[in-house]
Amino acid sequence: MAYQVGQRPSLAEIRSWEASLPILANDLIEAGLESVELLIEFQLPYTSKRADVVICGIHPASGKPSILIVELKQWSQATSYLDVPSLVRIGAYGDNPVTHPAVQVRSYCEYLTGFNLFLENSEAQVSGAAYLHNWQGPRDSVVDQIQAEEFARVFLGSERGKWINFLKTHFTEASGATVADQLLSSKLAPTKQLMQHAAAEIKDRSQFILLDEQQVAFELVLRALRTSDESNNKTAVIVTGGPGSGKSVIALALLGELSRQGRTTLHATGSKAFRTSLQKIAGHRSTAVKNLFRYFNSFNTAQPNSLDVLICDEAHRIRSTSANRYTPASARTGSPQIDELLRVARVPVFLLDSHQVVRKGEIGTPEYIEGQAGRLGIATLRVDLDGQFRCGGSKGYETWILNMLGLETSESPVWKPEENYRVLIASSPAEMESTLKSKIEEGFKARMTAGFCWAWNDPNPDETLPLDVQIGDWKKPWNVKGDRGVGQFMAGSLWAIDPESFDQIGCVYTAQGFEYDWNGVIFGPDLVWRTDHWVGVPSGSKDPDMRGIAPETFQDLVKNTYKVLLTRGLFGTVLFSVDPETQEHLKTLVSG
C-alpha cells in the first residue's frame, strides 16, 4: 500500500532511499515480516520533521498495534563532539555536529506519542531504533554514549542478526495495513498525558497570577470555549497591549489551565528566541512539554478545528504566508498564514502589540485579524490591556517612548522623572557598561542592546566570539550566533536568560518578548535625529531582513525596533547614540 504526502523528493533523498530502503526490506523479509506496513518519510504533526520509516504491525506479546520508528543512517563511523553526549561528528558534515541517532529517534517517539490520539487510545506499543547499516565495525563508546531504552536503541550493520531478532520481538507475521491506516487517519492533537504534564509544569506557578484586564482576557477565552462547546461556533479572541502589559503571562496561564482541563491546546509564536526560552522556562522538567510550543508556520497542513485553543503569542509577527525560503514548492498552500491559524482551533487567541512589528512581512494587527476572521465567518472578541507591569509599572514611560520616537504625539517628548522609573543618558558605551555593572553589583539583572548596525559574524575557531560591535575603542560581541552555546555562553536564542550574557550585546530578535531589571540601549546609525525629526537610514543597518525595503517602511520598522529595545527594563534604561546630533537630542529629552 502506498501513501502520498504531495512533496517531490530531492535527488539526495532519492539516493538515500536507494541506499537504505532495500537493506531494510531484505532484513524484514529475512525476519519473516513481509506483511508489516512501511510509512516512508512520515511527517510529524505540526512540524516539517519527518521520520525515515515507521513500521506498523501487531506486537507478538500483547496482540496490540506495534509501531517502530526507524532512522536509517549510512554512517560507518562517528566521533564524540566536545564531550556532549547528545552530539556527534561524522566525516560527511566536517566539523559541524549532528544529533546522536539515539537522541534523534527518541525525540521522534516522544513527539509522536504526544500528538497522535490513536497511539494514546489504542494501547499501541511504540519503539524507536536507529539502524546504521553501513557500520561494519564493532560498537564503541560513541555509539553507547546514550543509554539504550525502548525509544532509543542503536543497531549497527555488524549486528544484523541482533537487529533481525529485535524486529521479530516487535512484530508478528500479520498484516500491518489496518494499523497504518489508523495511525494515518488519527486526530492530531496534544494527548491527555501531555496535557497533564503541561498542567503540572505551568498551572500552579505563582508568577502566572493574573490581574484586572489580564483576568478579563483569561476568562473571555474560557467563556468562548464553553460557548463553542454549546453552540458549535468559533470565536477568535484578540488581546492587545503594550510591552509589559502581561500578554505572555496570560498565554502561559491559559496553556496551564486548559491543559489541566484536558483541552487540546498549543502555544505558537513567530520568534525563535521567545519560543526557545519559553520551552526552557515552562518545560524545564519535561521534554514533552516543550513540544507544546510551536511556530506560526506549523499549521499549514493541520486539520481544521483539530485543536480546542491555539494561543498565538507575539501575534504582531504573523506573516502574509507560512512559506519561507526553506518551504518546498509542493508544501506552499497559498493560504494566508492568518487563515491557517484561525482554522486550526475552535478558539484561536491572538496576543499582540502593533508597535512591535520590526520585520518586513510582519502584518499582525487587530484590524487585520478581525477582517480575516470576518471573511471566514468567525466572530471576534477584543480586550485591550491598560495595565503596565514592566517599566516599574510606569505607563508614563511607555507613553514617553511612543512620543519620543514619533509613534504617537499625545504628549511632550520630554521625560518627566518618576519615582519608580529612571532614564539616564550615558556619555559613552563604556559609561553605560559601568553604570549597568554597578546595578548588577546591587543585585539587579542588566542587559545591553543595540540597533542591528554592525555585522554579526560566526564564532571564532577557538570558541570565542568576534568583537563585532565596535564604537571607538569600546568593543563587544553580539549575542551568540547559532543554536548551540559558545564558550561559557548559551545559544543566542537564550541570551535574555543566560546568566553570563551581560558581556554580549543583544539585538531586537533576542530581546523581543523578554524583560530585565536595567536596560542599556545603543542607538546606531540606522536611526538619527536631524534638526527637528527622526530619519531612518537604511545604509546604517546591517540587518539582512531590512534589505530592499522602501525608505518610509524602513523608518517605521526601525522606530518599532527601538521601541522594543527601549521597553525591556523593569526599573530603568540607559541611552547612548553613536551619532553626535542624536546624542545631543537625547540629552535635551532627559535633562533634569
Side-chain angles (χ1 to χ4, degrees), residues 268-418:
T269 181
S271 166
K272 181 177 181 179
F274 193 52
R275 175 183 180 243
T276 303
S277 294
L278 285 178
Q279 286 180 317
K280 189 174 183 66
I281 294 167
H284 70 291
R285 290 177 297 184
S286 172
T287 302
V289 172
K290 294 179 180 180
N291 292 328
L292 292 175
F293 297 91
R294 314 305 308 160
Y295 291 121
F296 292 151
N297 63 1
S298 300
F299 305 96
N300 57 337
T301 59
Q303 299 170 350
N305 298 331
S306 56
L307 300 173
D308 290 324
V309 178
L310 176 65
I311 304 164
C312 300
D313 206 350
E314 302 269 297
H316 41 266
R317 303 200 65 174
I318 289 172
R319 292 178 171 267
S320 56
T321 72
S322 291
N324 57 40
R325 62 182 181 273
Y326 303 110
T327 308
S330 56
R332 297 172 185 253
T333 65
S335 297
Q337 187 174 84
I338 183 62
D339 287 10
E340 297 166 1
L341 301 174
L342 286 164
R343 286 172 174 151
V344 73
R346 292 191 295 126
V347 178
V349 181
F350 302 90
L351 304 106
L352 60 94
D353 174 4
S354 299
H355 285 310
Q356 290 199 46
V357 173
V358 298
R359 281 181 170 178
K360 62 181 180 181
E362 295 177 347
I363 56 176
T365 66
E367 295 75 21
Y368 174 69
I369 296 170
E370 288 172 337
Q372 292 296 101
R375 187 177 59 80
L376 296 174
I378 301 172
T380 57
L381 292 172
R382 184 165 166 180
V383 182
D384 294 317
L385 302 174
D386 292 328
Q388 175 57 240
F389 300 93
R390 192 181 291 153
C391 306
S394 172
K395 187 68 177 177
Y397 177 73
E398 183 191 352
T399 301
W400 177 68
I401 290 297
L402 292 173
N403 284 278
M404 185 265 280
L405 291 172
L407 296 170
E408 291 183 3
T409 55
S410 58
E411 295 184 13
S412 167
V414 176
W415 169 247
K416 300 174 183 177
E418 295 186 5

Side-chain angles (χ1 to χ4, degrees), residues 10 24 27 34 50 69 100 222 237 261 295 445 451 468 563 590:
S10 67
L24 176 61
D27 291 346
E34 296 95 332
R50 291 174 290 169
I69 298 177
H100 190 288
L222 298 183
V237 180
Q261 294 182 13
Y295 291 121
K445 177 181 176 181
D468 289 324
K563 189 259 187 178
V590 183

Side-chain angles (χ1 to χ4, degrees), residues 33-85:
L33 302 175
E34 296 95 332
S35 296
V36 295
E37 201 79 1
L38 303 187
L39 304 178
I40 312 299
E41 297 292 335
F42 182 86
Q43 185 165 350
L44 300 177
Y46 306 114
T47 175
S48 60
K49 296 294 184 181
R50 291 174 290 169
D52 287 344
V53 179
V54 176
I55 306 177
C56 301
I58 303 299
H59 199 278
S62 66
K64 300 289 185 180
S66 182
I67 308 290
L68 176 63
I69 298 177
V70 181
E71 281 300 297
L72 298 168
K73 303 292 185 186
Q74 299 176 45
W75 306 357
S76 57
Q77 57 80 36
T79 58
S80 60
Y81 183 82
L82 298 178
D83 298 320
V84 181

